[in-house]
Amino acid sequence: MVVVTGQNKVSANPDDAMSSSDAEDDFQEPATPTATQAGQALPLLPQQFPEVVPLNVGGMFFTTRLSTLRRYEDTMLAAMFSGRHYIPTDAEGRYFIDRDGTYFGDILNFLRSGDLPPQERVRSVYKEAQYYSIGPLLDNLEDIQPLKGEKVRQAFLGLMPYYKEHLERIIEIAKLRAVQRKARFAKLKVCVFKEEMPITPYECPHFNSLRFERSDSDTKLFEHHCEVDVSFGPWEAVADVYDLLHCIVTDLSARGIAVEHQCIGVCDKHLINHYYCKRPIYEFKITWW
């Protein structure tokens, strides 16, 4: 006798019957994979790009050849459009790069024909070339103005001890004084000197040297700190005090800080006998609004 309940059939003969677990092992049907399982089980196929690629770079539209984007192998663009990475598209099917596209045209022009941007855009294009890791463009830009001159300037500033720290100190002191006095501007004294030893009218260089010969004991007599807020120096380079002042003003201005300076005299601190410190003292005026 066979009992049928719904679609499940049970054999009356216990010897002929199989356990439910055995039946499932022999006749288990493949389950339909979920989206998560499918993503884990099936690797994504390499993304295919057309020969002519439409681009949306931060809302600005460009069109170029795929070979142009792959011009140099060791660049971010070549990696992005190699097919190994997924690039999203906008509603119009353009491949989207989430980056300001203002200077992307200059990037493409270099990849197309090696053209370099005009001088006023060199710094900005250099920043984009760093982001996209385009080594040949970086090398070309570093060899023209203003970046070539900047390399020379940085080489000089590399000789200056604690230059960046001193800049930060100027900013912090000026900000604190302006806040405390509730003033529009703040003034501070800055000493800029090139020579290790103080120079007085009574001293003359030996053998046309910029250094003075003194014993160790004499040197200690001349060691002192000028009564200023920040002191730059000494350094060994052809560049003089005015060159360093130009660097200070340039770097502060690049951070949006309005600064003026003027020489207000020398330290004039008495050291020993007829020796006085003659390091120049400058007054910096920083205007905050």
Side-chain angles (χ1 to χ4, degrees), residues 55-108:
L55 298 170
N56 178 346
V57 184
M60 299 183 68
F61 306 141
F62 302 90
T63 304
T64 189
R65 293 174 63 92
L66 181 61
S67 58
T68 299
L69 298 171
R70 297 175 176 175
R71 176 78 65 190
Y72 299 103
E73 293 182 358
D74 298 330
T75 67
M76 180 184 291
L77 288 173
M80 291 171 65
F81 290 91
S82 65
R84 301 189 304 269
H85 307 281
Y86 175 74
I87 309 297
T89 56
D90 63 12
E92 302 299 326
R94 305 181 187 92
Y95 295 97
F96 180 71
I97 299 176
D98 193 10
R99 182 77 176 175
D100 187 352
T102 303
Y103 303 101
F104 191 75
D106 293 302
I107 297 292
L108 284 182

Side-chain angles (χ1 to χ4, degrees), residues 101-166:
T102 303
Y103 303 101
F104 191 75
D106 293 302
I107 297 292
L108 284 182
N109 286 337
F110 177 79
L111 294 176
R112 287 166 177 153
S113 55
D115 292 343
L116 298 176
Q119 184 173 342
E120 63 270 16
R121 296 208 298 268
V122 165
R123 292 182 185 273
S124 299
V125 176
Y126 185 84
K127 182 178 179 181
E128 294 303 295
Q130 286 180 312
Y131 176 79
Y132 293 111
S133 301
I134 306 175
L137 177 54
L138 292 172
D139 293 340
N140 278 272
L141 292 177
E142 288 175 355
D143 203 36
I144 62 175
Q145 288 288 63
L147 295 183
K148 192 175 185 65
E150 181 63 17
K151 289 179 67 175
V152 177
R153 191 178 81 97
Q154 290 300 328
F156 161 59
L157 293 179
L159 303 174
M160 188 63 50
Y162 309 109
Y163 175 75
K164 293 183 179 179
E165 291 81 358
H166 290 339

